[in-house]
Amino acid sequence: MKTLLIGIVSLIFSLPALAQEKDTSPPEKIPLPKVKEEPKVKEEPKAKDDPAEEEQGPAVVRPPVELIVLPGQASAMPARKGVSYANGGTIDVAQPNPTTIIVTMSGLTATNADLLCPSLAHYQFDLDQCFEVRFNARKLKGAKLTLEGRVIGLLRTDHEHHVGYCDFHKKYGVAGTDPASASIHAGTAEVVSLTLPSRRVGGGDDLSVYNHEGPLCVPVTPGKYELHESWGFGTTHPACCCHGASAEFSPQPYYAPEAYWFQYFRPFNGTATKDFGYQVTIKVIAE
């Protein structure tokens, strides 16, 4: 009995000490709320020729100033009489780059003896071409316009069917060019112009033609302009004479009927003909 009482007293005194002991067990972890993940969309590989990629290509860089070709009209009218030939009559308006316009007129005429009347072959060229000078840079101070013209070709008056036949006539045809003119207008005011002289040959002579003028330079402002050109060339021949004449301002090879005398007759052998004709060049230069 005495032993039991001692045990109870010891238990009573040990309870406060047990209460003061700290709990060394780790704290419980509270789980975080789960976030729903969005499903991933698979990206399809783009085709090599995807039009969307082509549209997003590098932007075209325009020059500070450029020429815009507008509507125009032109004509090449042949006139023929007697034993005559006319071919070509080509008018070409080209723009090799945004700051340049090139106009080329070319053709060929030839005449020979008719038994009853004089022969004549002639080409008349006329052109009206509108264009615009456009400024693309805001800080551009100004621009200059240049006009340049040249005529290259052959004039011949000694074509024969047979060498030495009927030389006693001493009569030949005449081949020549008309003045070649070009002018640029802004409304009714003339901005710049040039004129190349006429050339003529006869008496059995042959002539290689080269006329050139320019470049003529003038200041210009943005706006619309008009180019006007006029030119002509041709040949005449008296009746009852065997020596033929030709005016050649067309790049070779050109077509010629076998019956015509000038098909194989080439006194200017090796002459470069790619630049034959009347050519006008317009350029605009930023300042």
Side-chain angles (χ1 to χ4, degrees):
M1 186 68 180
K2 184 178 180 180
T3 305
L4 180 61
L5 292 173
I6 294 170
I8 293 172
V9 172
S10 300
L11 179 62
I12 293 171
F13 283 101
S14 63
L15 287 176
L18 293 173
Q20 293 178 359
E21 291 182 359
K22 294 181 179 180
D23 187 7
T24 58
S25 61
E28 295 182 0
K29 294 183 179 179
I30 301 174
L32 298 174
K34 294 183 178 181
V35 180
K36 294 183 179 180
E37 296 182 357
E38 296 182 359
K40 295 183 179 180
V41 180
K42 294 183 179 180
E43 295 183 0
E44 297 181 358
K46 294 183 179 180
K48 293 183 179 179
D49 299 333
D50 193 350
E53 292 184 356
E54 295 180 0
E55 293 178 359
Q56 298 177 358
V60 178
V61 179
R62 308 303 302 177
V65 59
E66 64 179 328
L67 299 176
I68 307 298
V69 178
L70 301 178
Q73 61 180 1
S75 62
M77 298 183 62
R80 295 179 53 188
K81 180 182 178 182
V83 181
S84 58
Y85 177 73
N87 191 16
T90 302
I91 302 174
D92 178 62
V93 179
Q95 189 171 21
N97 56 67
T99 61
T100 306
I101 296 176
I102 300 176
V103 181
T104 305
M105 301 175 174
S106 60
L108 167 72
T109 63
T111 52
N112 207 344
D114 186 89
L115 295 176
L116 302 177
C117 66
S119 299
L120 176 144
H122 188 270
Y123 255 119
Q124 179 62 43
F125 295 83
D126 288 288
L127 174 136
D128 290 296
Q129 177 63 58
C130 297
F131 65 93
E132 179 184 353
V133 176
R134 181 177 297 176
F135 285 15
N136 297 322
R138 295 181 179 180
K139 297 182 180 180
L140 187 64
K141 296 180 180 179
K144 292 182 179 180
L145 192 73
T146 65
L147 178 65
E148 185 176 5
R150 60 115 177 109
V151 174
I152 301 177
L154 303 175
L155 298 175
R156 312 193 226 179
T157 63
D158 195 19
H159 296 287
E160 296 179 273
H161 286 292
H162 303 284
V163 177
Y165 177 71
C166 293
D167 281 347
F168 63 89
H169 282 287
K170 299 296 182 182
K171 294 181 181 179
Y172 301 89
V174 176
T177 67
D178 299 334
S181 64
S183 60
I184 297 176
H185 293 78
T188 58
E190 183 180 284
V191 177
V192 63
S193 65
L194 62 81
T195 301
L196 301 174
S198 61
R199 305 294 293 273
R200 197 164 299 274
V201 66
D205 295 330
D206 300 322
L207 179 66
S208 179
V209 175
Y210 174 76
N211 289 341
H212 177 267
E213 186 174 347
L216 307 178
C217 185
V218 293
V220 290
T221 57
K224 295 183 179 180
Y225 298 83
E226 183 178 3
L227 168 67
H228 176 72
E229 290 186 43
S230 179
W231 182 54
F233 63 87
T235 56
T236 59
H237 204 285
C240 298
C241 182
C242 64
H243 293 273
S246 67
E248 303 173 36
F249 294 91
S250 179
Q252 296 181 22
Y254 52 76
Y255 169 76
E258 294 182 0
Y260 276 80
W261 58 97
F262 56 86
Q263 184 180 11
Y264 303 106
F265 185 65
R266 296 288 183 267
F268 295 95
N269 213 0
T271 300
T273 64
K274 62 183 180 64
D275 296 325
F276 274 21
Y278 173 38
Q279 188 174 93
V280 170
T281 303
I282 303 172
K283 292 184 178 182
V284 64
I285 305 170
E287 291 184 335

